[in-house]
Amino acid sequence: MMLTDTIRIRVPFFDVDSIQMVWHGNFVKYLEEGRESFGAKFGLEYMYIYNSGYVAPIADMHLEYKKAAGIGDVLLVDTIYKPCRGAKLMFDYTIMRESDGELILNASTVQLFVTRNGIFEVSTPEFYAEWKKKWKVDKS
């Protein structure tokens, strides 16, 4: 089963730079919004992870810019969960302009589980194993 979520973001004035394009760093924020929406939809919210004794910081991120976006553009952010082995979360993303279907950005992220005491988890946390089983995405 592929788990995916899509959100719509209208580019606000404060997200563009002096050349009227979305500043590249703001795309990272759009990915974060996509992960938050995904978590709410599939029961993997940040507070669920935290209350399970972990945090999940970004360990790796790749962004591939394809086209520019500007003020007022409505962007569709697709967040796609990538099943994997081990104690990590992996996502792929596409950001497309709604009006013309142009691909704006491809991206991927990897998050590692860290205990709230700051220790990297090397095996799959129990709460995450249960979540993967519930959604039938277990790769172990």
Side-chain angles (χ1 to χ4, degrees), residues 49-112:
I49 295 170
Y50 183 81
N51 290 334
S52 297
Y54 296 90
V55 293
I58 298 287
D60 190 39
M61 178 182 297
H62 294 272
L63 305 170
E64 183 182 10
Y65 299 93
K66 298 293 193 175
K67 298 274 184 181
I71 296 171
D73 281 344
V74 175
L75 303 178
L76 302 175
V77 180
D78 292 326
T79 304
I80 303 109
Y81 174 79
K82 288 178 57 176
C84 60
R85 291 189 173 102
K88 60 186 171 185
L89 290 168
M90 297 176 64
F91 292 97
D92 284 334
Y93 311 83
T94 60
I95 297 181
M96 301 183 78
R97 187 174 19 251
E98 185 178 55
S99 64
D100 60 8
E102 285 284 345
L103 177 62
I104 305 298
L105 181 95
N106 283 320
S108 64
T109 58
V110 177
Q111 295 168 261
L112 300 179

Side-chain angles (χ1 to χ4, degrees), residues 23-41:
W23 177 67
H24 67 277
N26 283 321
F27 286 103
V28 174
K29 177 176 65 173
Y30 300 161
L31 301 181
E32 181 81 20
E33 290 184 43
R35 281 192 309 280
E36 286 184 4
S37 179
F38 178 94
K41 180 176 179 177

